[in-house]
Amino acid sequence: MPAQAKPAKAEVSTARPASPPLTERQEARRRRILHASAQLASKGGFDAVQMREVAESSQVALGTLYRYFPSKVHLLVATMQDQLEHMHGTLRKKPPAGETAAERVAETLMRAFRALQREPHLADAMVRALTFADRSVSPEVDQVSRQTTLIILDAMGRADPGPRQLSAVRVIEHTWHSALITWLSGRASIAQVKIDIETVCRLIDLTEPEE
């Protein structure tokens, strides 16, 4: 007789349980917190964002702030997602004009890069938080990645990309975030960032499906 298969071990999920949708009042409170975080980071970078000051500036109790965001890293990564979402809305109002998907994505990412360049302290704080993020911040980091993917896909004009195109998008995301880090640390100029972005965006044309 064949040996009986052993029952599979139950996998332990490390993901946080899904939170119920926020009420209108809770969403308004969350918006105030993110605005306060961005304002403080814009003035003094990562170190300037202190949870007590964020609570005071957004007019919420410190305990309430920690229920929304368990740490400063959670808060700043969520702030980055919020900033990218705002950029996405701005980019949609004035879509890129490049002829190819690669040109449009490169133009879009450089416009987003220049928006961050105008707020270097804020950009540094958000990127540092993204770098420091551990597994507990995975949901917030995933939101940043999804928002960046949406921005790239919109520029490509692809709502249903194939596996090879999604792989190219991931490489482009990695390069864009790496370019931010090297620019913020003074190891790359804007001109170098532009060349790197334009180079990696050529992957899009290489992965375009044949007609």
Side-chain angles (χ1 to χ4, degrees):
M1 292 179 62
Q4 289 185 337
K6 293 181 180 180
K9 292 182 180 179
E11 292 186 2
V12 179
S13 173
T14 58
R16 278 186 261 163
S19 301
L22 298 179
T23 64
E24 186 175 339
R25 184 177 179 182
Q26 289 171 328
E27 181 59 35
R29 185 181 297 132
R30 184 177 184 277
R31 304 273 345 143
R32 292 202 309 273
I33 292 170
L34 291 173
H35 178 73
S37 169
Q39 289 292 309
L40 288 168
S42 294
K43 293 176 182 177
F46 185 85
D47 293 334
V49 181
Q50 301 298 324
M51 297 297 270
R52 188 172 296 278
E53 289 190 32
V54 173
E56 291 174 358
S57 183
S58 57
Q59 299 180 326
V60 301
L62 186 59
T64 300
L65 171 58
Y66 277 108
R67 283 199 296 273
Y68 281 83
F69 303 102
S71 73
K72 179 166 79 169
V73 170
H74 286 81
L75 173 57
L76 282 169
V77 174
T79 301
M80 186 170 192
Q81 191 276 331
D82 186 62
Q83 293 291 314
L84 287 172
E85 188 175 347
H86 177 72
M87 283 183 201
H88 195 185
T90 303
L91 290 164
R92 277 177 164 172
K93 292 176 183 177
K94 189 179 179 182
E99 292 185 4
T100 67
E103 289 173 353
R104 292 193 298 274
V105 172
E107 180 187 336
T108 293
L109 291 179
M110 285 308 300
R111 281 166 61 184
F113 188 89
R114 290 189 182 98
L116 292 171
Q117 185 188 5
R118 290 192 288 271
E119 295 281 1
H121 291 308
L122 174 59
D124 180 66
M126 295 187 301
V127 171
R128 282 177 66 182
L130 201 64
T131 304
F132 296 154
D134 57 21
R135 287 187 179 183
S136 70
V137 199
S138 291
E140 289 81 4
V141 173
D142 288 345
Q143 285 290 336
V144 168
S145 180
R146 277 193 288 271
Q147 190 63 57
T148 309
T149 297
L150 285 174
I151 289 172
I152 294 172
L153 291 179
D154 258 14
M156 288 171 61
R158 289 278 179 184
D160 55 345
R164 293 180 71 231
Q165 286 182 311
L166 281 175
S167 181
V169 168
R170 284 193 295 271
V171 174
I172 291 167
E173 283 184 42
H174 297 328
T175 302
W176 188 68
H177 287 139
S178 177
L180 276 175
I181 293 170
T182 54
W183 171 73
L184 287 165
S185 63
R187 293 183 287 119
S189 65
I190 300 298
Q192 288 172 314
V193 168
K194 187 172 186 292
I195 291 170
D196 289 349
I197 295 298
E198 289 176 346
T199 300
V200 76
C201 284
R202 291 175 191 157
L203 286 174
I204 295 172
D205 292 340
L206 295 176
T207 57
E208 281 285 343
E210 296 181 4
E211 296 297 335

